[in-house]
Amino acid sequence: MTEHLLYLSLPPYLAQWYADECRRNLYAREDTYAPEPYRFPTPVQPIRGSLESGILELFLTKQPASVPADFREGANIVLAIPSFRNRDPRIYNYLRPSARETLQAAIHTRFQVKLFQDIHDLVGLGKARKDLTIIAWMEQHAIEVDDTNYNSVLKVFDRVRNTYTQADNRKLKKDRKKTQKS
């Protein structure tokens, strides 16, 4: 692993989930994997070929002389900057604030998609209790189960589910109008 690090500030549940995703990928060929919550400041290696890795490859730049190098204050996850073909981390190890926001948004979007894909079929069809399913999902993805994390994950799931439900309802309404006109 490289000694060039990138410090990010994410919500605790999101930092723990992303660290687990990266570690799960790292240990994919192993026979066992025990998910345990991420502890700052252990560096996490982004998944090669992932969207996050692509963002780093595209937006990592040389350290500007006029910008302070320390983004550690408030950070709760550390990414080891990977080496890319045309981007040596010894030289390209700075991520502008707008690129940091892009990276954080990509991580959050991937979290939303994964959460919805995993839980929607069980909870949406009434096969399982939502609270127990979310707690089990959090444990599986090494997110500490406490009130703050649980309520945050629950809120993310509810917002995504409401978005999809509203889109489906609009489609149904539109289809009904078409059949009534015919």
PDB file of all heavy atoms in Angstrom, residues 11-26:
ATOM      1  N   PRO A  11     -20.364  10.653   6.398  1.00  0.00           N
ATOM      2  CA  PRO A  11     -21.150  10.232   7.566  1.00  0.00           C
ATOM      3  C   PRO A  11     -20.605   8.897   8.073  1.00  0.00           C
ATOM      4  O   PRO A  11     -20.133   8.076   7.276  1.00  0.00           O
ATOM      5  CB  PRO A  11     -22.569  10.077   7.000  1.00  0.00           C
ATOM      6  CG  PRO A  11     -22.588  10.934   5.773  1.00  0.00           C
ATOM      7  CD  PRO A  11     -21.197  10.906   5.229  1.00  0.00           C
ATOM      8  N   PRO A  12     -20.644   8.650   9.383  1.00  0.00           N
ATOM      9  CA  PRO A  12     -20.037   7.427   9.928  1.00  0.00           C
ATOM     10  C   PRO A  12     -20.513   6.133   9.279  1.00  0.00           C
ATOM     11  O   PRO A  12     -19.709   5.253   8.968  1.00  0.00           O
ATOM     12  CB  PRO A  12     -20.418   7.464  11.408  1.00  0.00           C
ATOM     13  CG  PRO A  12     -20.653   8.903  11.699  1.00  0.00           C
ATOM     14  CD  PRO A  12     -21.175   9.507  10.433  1.00  0.00           C
ATOM     15  N   TYR A  13     -21.818   6.002   9.054  1.00  0.00           N
ATOM     16  CA  TYR A  13     -22.324   4.773   8.424  1.00  0.00           C
ATOM     17  C   TYR A  13     -21.759   4.585   7.022  1.00  0.00           C
ATOM     18  O   TYR A  13     -21.459   3.465   6.604  1.00  0.00           O
ATOM     19  CB  TYR A  13     -23.871   4.771   8.376  1.00  0.00           C
ATOM     20  CG  TYR A  13     -24.455   5.761   7.391  1.00  0.00           C
ATOM     21  CD1 TYR A  13     -24.751   5.373   6.090  1.00  0.00           C
ATOM     22  CD2 TYR A  13     -24.723   7.073   7.760  1.00  0.00           C
ATOM     23  CE1 TYR A  13     -25.276   6.279   5.185  1.00  0.00           C
ATOM     24  CE2 TYR A  13     -25.249   7.977   6.873  1.00  0.00           C
ATOM     25  CZ  TYR A  13     -25.533   7.577   5.586  1.00  0.00           C
ATOM     26  OH  TYR A  13     -26.045   8.471   4.683  1.00  0.00           O
ATOM     27  N   LEU A  14     -21.586   5.684   6.298  1.00  0.00           N
ATOM     28  CA  LEU A  14     -21.091   5.612   4.926  1.00  0.00           C
ATOM     29  C   LEU A  14     -19.598   5.281   4.899  1.00  0.00           C
ATOM     30  O   LEU A  14     -19.149   4.488   4.065  1.00  0.00           O
ATOM     31  CB  LEU A  14     -21.360   6.944   4.216  1.00  0.00           C
ATOM     32  CG  LEU A  14     -21.197   6.977   2.712  1.00  0.00           C
ATOM     33  CD1 LEU A  14     -22.073   5.920   2.047  1.00  0.00           C
ATOM     34  CD2 LEU A  14     -21.557   8.360   2.187  1.00  0.00           C
ATOM     35  N   ALA A  15     -18.838   5.853   5.825  1.00  0.00           N
ATOM     36  CA  ALA A  15     -17.405   5.538   5.904  1.00  0.00           C
ATOM     37  C   ALA A  15     -17.207   4.068   6.251  1.00  0.00           C
ATOM     38  O   ALA A  15     -16.361   3.385   5.649  1.00  0.00           O
ATOM     39  CB  ALA A  15     -16.734   6.422   6.951  1.00  0.00           C
ATOM     40  N   GLN A  16     -17.998   3.554   7.189  1.00  0.00           N
ATOM     41  CA  GLN A  16     -17.881   2.146   7.573  1.00  0.00           C
ATOM     42  C   GLN A  16     -18.294   1.227   6.425  1.00  0.00           C
ATOM     43  O   GLN A  16     -17.648   0.213   6.163  1.00  0.00           O
ATOM     44  CB  GLN A  16     -18.729   1.869   8.818  1.00  0.00           C
ATOM     45  CG  GLN A  16     -18.197   2.539  10.042  1.00  0.00           C
ATOM     46  CD  GLN A  16     -19.151   2.447  11.223  1.00  0.00           C
ATOM     47  OE1 GLN A  16     -20.230   1.871  11.136  1.00  0.00           O
ATOM     48  NE2 GLN A  16     -18.749   3.045  12.340  1.00  0.00           N
ATOM     49  N   TRP A  17     -19.359   1.577   5.706  1.00  0.00           N
ATOM     50  CA  TRP A  17     -19.816   0.754   4.580  1.00  0.00           C
ATOM     51  C   TRP A  17     -18.772   0.727   3.467  1.00  0.00           C
ATOM     52  O   TRP A  17     -18.450  -0.325   2.943  1.00  0.00           O
ATOM     53  CB  TRP A  17     -21.150   1.277   4.038  1.00  0.00           C
ATOM     54  CG  TRP A  17     -21.552   0.572   2.780  1.00  0.00           C
ATOM     55  CD1 TRP A  17     -22.171  -0.641   2.686  1.00  0.00           C
ATOM     56  CD2 TRP A  17     -21.326   1.020   1.441  1.00  0.00           C
ATOM     57  NE1 TRP A  17     -22.348  -0.972   1.368  1.00  0.00           N
ATOM     58  CE2 TRP A  17     -21.839   0.032   0.580  1.00  0.00           C
ATOM     59  CE3 TRP A  17     -20.746   2.153   0.893  1.00  0.00           C
ATOM     60  CZ2 TRP A  17     -21.789   0.155  -0.800  1.00  0.00           C
ATOM     61  CZ3 TRP A  17     -20.699   2.271  -0.488  1.00  0.00           C
ATOM     62  CH2 TRP A  17     -21.213   1.278  -1.310  1.00  0.00           C
ATOM     63  N   TYR A  18     -18.244   1.914   3.108  1.00  0.00           N
ATOM     64  CA  TYR A  18     -17.277   1.972   2.016  1.00  0.00           C
ATOM     65  C   TYR A  18     -15.995   1.212   2.363  1.00  0.00           C
ATOM     66  O   TYR A  18     -15.451   0.492   1.525  1.00  0.00           O
ATOM     67  CB  TYR A  18     -16.953   3.420   1.637  1.00  0.00           C
ATOM     68  CG  TYR A  18     -16.049   3.496   0.438  1.00  0.00           C
ATOM     69  CD1 TYR A  18     -16.492   3.087  -0.810  1.00  0.00           C
ATOM     70  CD2 TYR A  18     -14.742   3.931   0.554  1.00  0.00           C
ATOM     71  CE1 TYR A  18     -15.661   3.117  -1.909  1.00  0.00           C
ATOM     72  CE2 TYR A  18     -13.910   3.970  -0.539  1.00  0.00           C
ATOM     73  CZ  TYR A  18     -14.379   3.567  -1.775  1.00  0.00           C
ATOM     74  OH  TYR A  18     -13.543   3.591  -2.871  1.00  0.00           O
ATOM     75  N   ALA A  19     -15.545   1.350   3.584  1.00  0.00           N
ATOM     76  CA  ALA A  19     -14.352   0.608   4.010  1.00  0.00           C
ATOM     77  C   ALA A  19     -14.601  -0.892   3.924  1.00  0.00           C
ATOM     78  O   ALA A  19     -13.743  -1.652   3.467  1.00  0.00           O
ATOM     79  CB  ALA A  19     -13.956   1.008   5.430  1.00  0.00           C
ATOM     80  N   ASP A  20     -15.794  -1.325   4.324  1.00  0.00           N
ATOM     81  CA  ASP A  20     -16.119  -2.752   4.241  1.00  0.00           C
ATOM     82  C   ASP A  20     -16.182  -3.216   2.789  1.00  0.00           C
ATOM     83  O   ASP A  20     -15.716  -4.310   2.472  1.00  0.00           O
ATOM     84  CB  ASP A  20     -17.450  -3.032   4.941  1.00  0.00           C
ATOM     85  CG  ASP A  20     -17.807  -4.506   4.896  1.00  0.00           C
ATOM     86  OD1 ASP A  20     -17.068  -5.313   5.510  1.00  0.00           O
ATOM     87  OD2 ASP A  20     -18.792  -4.861   4.229  1.00  0.00           O
ATOM     88  N   GLU A  21     -16.746  -2.407   1.907  1.00  0.00           N
ATOM     89  CA  GLU A  21     -16.801  -2.774   0.485  1.00  0.00           C
ATOM     90  C   GLU A  21     -15.396  -2.964  -0.077  1.00  0.00           C
ATOM     91  O   GLU A  21     -15.139  -3.923  -0.808  1.00  0.00           O
ATOM     92  CB  GLU A  21     -17.519  -1.686  -0.328  1.00  0.00           C
ATOM     93  CG  GLU A  21     -19.003  -1.684  -0.184  1.00  0.00           C
ATOM     94  CD  GLU A  21     -19.660  -2.891  -0.833  1.00  0.00           C
ATOM     95  OE1 GLU A  21     -19.530  -3.057  -2.054  1.00  0.00           O
ATOM     96  OE2 GLU A  21     -20.318  -3.653  -0.101  1.00  0.00           O
ATOM     97  N   CYS A  22     -14.497  -2.076   0.272  1.00  0.00           N
ATOM     98  CA  CYS A  22     -13.116  -2.171  -0.226  1.00  0.00           C
ATOM     99  C   CYS A  22     -12.404  -3.392   0.367  1.00  0.00           C
ATOM    100  O   CYS A  22     -11.710  -4.113  -0.349  1.00  0.00           O
ATOM    101  CB  CYS A  22     -12.348  -0.894   0.096  1.00  0.00           C
ATOM    102  SG  CYS A  22     -12.971   0.547  -0.798  1.00  0.00           S
ATOM    103  N   ARG A  23     -12.579  -3.614   1.663  1.00  0.00           N
ATOM    104  CA  ARG A  23     -11.944  -4.782   2.298  1.00  0.00           C
ATOM    105  C   ARG A  23     -12.556  -6.080   1.795  1.00  0.00           C
ATOM    106  O   ARG A  23     -11.855  -7.067   1.577  1.00  0.00           O
ATOM    107  CB  ARG A  23     -12.089  -4.709   3.819  1.00  0.00           C
ATOM    108  CG  ARG A  23     -11.172  -3.701   4.461  1.00  0.00           C
ATOM    109  CD  ARG A  23     -11.274  -3.796   5.944  1.00  0.00           C
ATOM    110  NE  ARG A  23     -12.673  -3.562   6.320  1.00  0.00           N
ATOM    111  CZ  ARG A  23     -13.051  -3.031   7.460  1.00  0.00           C
ATOM    112  NH1 ARG A  23     -12.183  -2.705   8.362  1.00  0.00           N
ATOM    113  NH2 ARG A  23     -14.318  -2.825   7.733  1.00  0.00           N
ATOM    114  N   ARG A  24     -13.867  -6.109   1.594  1.00  0.00           N
ATOM    115  CA  ARG A  24     -14.549  -7.303   1.092  1.00  0.00           C
ATOM    116  C   ARG A  24     -13.987  -7.674  -0.280  1.00  0.00           C
ATOM    117  O   ARG A  24     -13.781  -8.842  -0.581  1.00  0.00           O
ATOM    118  CB  ARG A  24     -16.047  -7.028   1.009  1.00  0.00           C
ATOM    119  CG  ARG A  24     -16.905  -8.225   0.747  1.00  0.00           C
ATOM    120  CD  ARG A  24     -18.378  -7.809   0.741  1.00  0.00           C
ATOM    121  NE  ARG A  24     -18.837  -7.298   2.014  1.00  0.00           N
ATOM    122  CZ  ARG A  24     -19.359  -8.058   2.973  1.00  0.00           C
ATOM    123  NH1 ARG A  24     -19.470  -9.338   2.804  1.00  0.00           N
ATOM    124  NH2 ARG A  24     -19.776  -7.515   4.093  1.00  0.00           N
ATOM    125  N   ASN A  25     -13.742  -6.671  -1.104  1.00  0.00           N
ATOM    126  CA  ASN A  25     -13.161  -6.915  -2.423  1.00  0.00           C
ATOM    127  C   ASN A  25     -11.723  -7.423  -2.297  1.00  0.00           C
ATOM    128  O   ASN A  25     -11.305  -8.305  -3.033  1.00  0.00           O
ATOM    129  CB  ASN A  25     -13.195  -5.632  -3.260  1.00  0.00           C
ATOM    130  CG  ASN A  25     -12.679  -5.855  -4.656  1.00  0.00           C
ATOM    131  OD1 ASN A  25     -13.274  -6.589  -5.432  1.00  0.00           O
ATOM    132  ND2 ASN A  25     -11.559  -5.223  -4.974  1.00  0.00           N
ATOM    133  N   LEU A  26     -10.989  -6.881  -1.355  1.00  0.00           N
ATOM    134  CA  LEU A  26      -9.604  -7.273  -1.140  1.00  0.00           C
ATOM    135  C   LEU A  26      -9.499  -8.733  -0.705  1.00  0.00           C
ATOM    136  O   LEU A  26      -8.580  -9.445  -1.103  1.00  0.00           O
ATOM    137  CB  LEU A  26      -8.965  -6.351  -0.089  1.00  0.00           C
ATOM    138  CG  LEU A  26      -7.477  -6.420   0.117  1.00  0.00           C
ATOM    139  CD1 LEU A  26      -6.741  -5.999  -1.152  1.00  0.00           C
ATOM    140  CD2 LEU A  26      -7.073  -5.505   1.263  1.00  0.00           C
TER     141      LEU A  26
END
